């Protein structure tokens, strides 16, 4: 194993980072686990608007029930001749305006937070193709690192799909459950934890969309145009997204996988990836497996030694 591989094997063994998961489960309801401040705000805003909608719906339902019971022909054989009510007309005009204002203020703040890119530490360019993603590390010192990211498995042949995922899992030292169907890719986008990343997104052929639910990222990839967004992942782990723009026959089969690792693991991977991407990925997975083993079975002294 090279020096870069040895460094990757023993880098970044922190118990907090090792416990991170993708935040997905079978028959799941709701969002994936949030790992960014933007997604925290999206989750809060979703619950906030859902509460308002629920209150409005229950209020309207109550009015309907009152009208059907109290003002039915049987209960009220002589109907009222009232044609106007100034108070009611003012209320049903002012209250909806106030509700919209209450919704608009946090909505505009969230939109601004998504669009206003803060000071960033690194830049990654994501390029959509029919039907896979390509990633380019554009920062100085990365050696113009570029690679394509294809889905692992065969969506149309269940037996071949399982065999492909098992072979991939065996090569990377993973279990089959860690290679989710229609989501796992051969080359993941590797990002250091606690780093503000500027993400530039474009496409080569048709319109795609880069969507990472756990990071609160969703942006169109348009040929001839360079869109920008950002994220700051606070937890290590592997997180999944998909193209969310109808882009052709294999639209459902161009997933996104982002692996967030420690700063030391990322540095070791970045050095090795410029020489041999496959070997760098294997070394990175060995590093993650070793760190998980230390976190699960080691003492605090062993974890501290491994972290060094």
């Amino acid at each position: 194993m090279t020096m870069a591989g040895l460094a990757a094997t023993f880098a970044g063994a922190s118990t907090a980072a090792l416990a991170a998961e993708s935040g997905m489960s079978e028959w799941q309801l709701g969002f994936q686990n949030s790992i960014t401040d933007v997604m925290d705000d999206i989750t809060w805003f979703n619950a906030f608007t859902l509460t308002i909608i629920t209150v409005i719906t229950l209020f309207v339902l109550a009015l309907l029930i009152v009208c059907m019971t109290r003002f039915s022909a049987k209960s009220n054989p002589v109907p009222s001749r009232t044609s106007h009510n100034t108070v009611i007309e003012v209320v049903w005009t002012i209250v909806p305006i106030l509700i919209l204002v209450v919704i608009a203020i946090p909505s505009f703040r969230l939109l601004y937070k998504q669009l206003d890119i803060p000071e960033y530490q690194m830049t990654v360019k994501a390029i959509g193709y029919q039907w896979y993603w390509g990633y380019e590390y554009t920062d100085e010192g990365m050696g113009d690192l570029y690679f394509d990211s294809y889905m692992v498995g065969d969506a149309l042949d269940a037996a071949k799909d399982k065999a492909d995922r098992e072979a991939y899992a065996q090569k990377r030292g993973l279990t089959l459950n860690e290679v989710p169907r229609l989501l796992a890719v051969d080359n993941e986008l590797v990002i250091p934890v606690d780093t503000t990343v500027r993400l530039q997104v474009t496409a080569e052929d048709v319109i795609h969309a880069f969507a990472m639910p756990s990071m609160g990222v969703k942006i169109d990839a348009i040929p001839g145009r360079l869109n920008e967004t950002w994220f700051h992942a606070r937890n290590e782990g592997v997180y999944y997204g998909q193209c969310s723009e109808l882009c052709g026959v294999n639209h459902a089969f161009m997933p996104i996988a982002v692996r967030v690792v420690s700063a030391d693991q990322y540095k070791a991977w970045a050095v090795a990836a410029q020489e041999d991407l496959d070997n760098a990925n294997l070394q990175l997975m060995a590093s993650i497996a070793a760190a998980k083993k230390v976190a699960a079975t080691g003492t605090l002294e062993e974890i501290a030694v491994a972290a060094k």
Side-chain angles (χ1 to χ4, degrees):
M1 185 177 290
T2 65
M3 291 300 295
L6 288 172
T9 301
F10 298 104
S14 64
T15 54
L18 298 174
E21 299 293 342
S22 64
M24 297 186 299
S25 60
E26 294 184 359
W27 302 98
Q28 178 176 344
L29 294 176
F31 296 134
Q32 296 181 22
N33 293 343
S34 170
I35 63 167
T36 67
D37 290 342
V38 170
M39 190 58 199
D40 288 345
D41 290 348
I42 292 174
T43 303
W44 175 87
F45 186 69
N46 175 75
F48 174 68
T49 53
L50 180 60
T51 301
I52 294 176
I53 292 171
T54 302
V55 171
I56 294 173
T57 302
L58 293 176
F59 176 70
V60 172
L61 176 62
L63 290 179
L64 290 174
I65 293 174
V66 169
C67 290
M68 288 185 293
T69 55
R70 184 175 178 182
F71 299 106
S72 64
K74 181 178 179 181
S75 302
N76 191 28
V78 180
S80 170
R81 298 291 183 179
T82 303
S83 61
H84 292 82
N85 188 304
T86 303
V87 174
I88 291 178
E89 291 182 358
V90 170
V91 169
W92 74 33
T93 301
I94 298 299
V95 171
I97 293 175
L98 295 177
I99 293 174
L100 291 177
V101 171
V102 169
I103 293 175
I105 293 174
S107 174
F108 291 154
R109 289 181 59 190
L110 178 56
L111 287 172
Y112 179 79
K113 188 173 185 177
Q114 290 177 297
L115 296 175
D116 183 48
I117 300 176
E119 184 176 353
Y120 51 89
Q121 285 81 50
M122 66 178 294
T123 300
V124 176
K125 184 178 181 181
I127 306 170
Y129 299 93
Q130 290 180 305
W131 285 272
Y132 60 95
W133 291 94
Y135 300 111
E136 180 180 349
Y137 290 74
T138 62
D139 293 329
E140 184 178 354
M142 291 301 296
D144 295 327
L145 176 62
Y146 174 87
F147 56 84
D148 294 327
S149 180
Y150 290 87
M151 186 185 74
V152 174
D154 190 322
L156 303 180
D157 187 330
K160 187 177 184 303
D161 176 80
K162 185 176 181 180
D164 290 347
R165 291 191 296 120
E166 286 177 340
Y168 177 85
Q170 184 176 7
K171 180 180 178 181
R172 295 288 182 96
L174 304 171
T175 64
L176 187 60
N177 289 335
E178 293 177 294
V179 187
R181 183 174 181 269
L182 303 182
L183 290 175
V185 299
D186 56 355
N187 294 314
E188 298 163 338
L189 176 62
V190 180
I191 296 295
V193 72
D194 289 327
T195 301
T196 301
V197 180
R198 178 179 66 165
L199 180 67
Q200 297 180 326
V201 182
T202 187
E204 184 69 20
D205 33 54
V206 299
I207 297 177
H208 302 277
F210 190 97
M212 283 297 300
S214 59
M215 298 180 181
V217 171
K218 184 175 182 181
I219 187 168
D220 284 341
I222 303 174
R225 178 172 178 175
L226 194 65
N227 288 334
E228 288 187 342
T229 187
W230 69 283
F231 62 88
H232 184 108
R234 59 174 176 257
N235 297 332
E236 294 181 32
V238 58
Y239 305 93
Y240 298 101
Q242 291 177 310
C243 173
S244 60
E245 187 72 58
L246 294 175
C247 59
V249 64
N250 286 338
H251 157 68
F253 312 129
M254 52 179 299
I256 303 164
V258 178
R259 185 170 292 278
V260 183
V261 299
S262 70
D264 290 337
Q265 287 174 331
Y266 173 76
K267 290 177 182 177
W269 174 85
V271 171
Q274 295 177 49
E275 300 295 332
D276 187 337
L277 179 62
D278 289 338
N279 188 48
N281 288 334
L282 293 177
Q283 292 172 359
L284 178 61
M285 297 310 300
S287 164
I288 294 172
K292 286 182 177 180
K293 184 176 181 180
V294 170
T297 63
T299 63
L300 291 177
E301 293 181 357
E302 290 173 330
I303 294 174
V305 172
K308 294 179 180 179

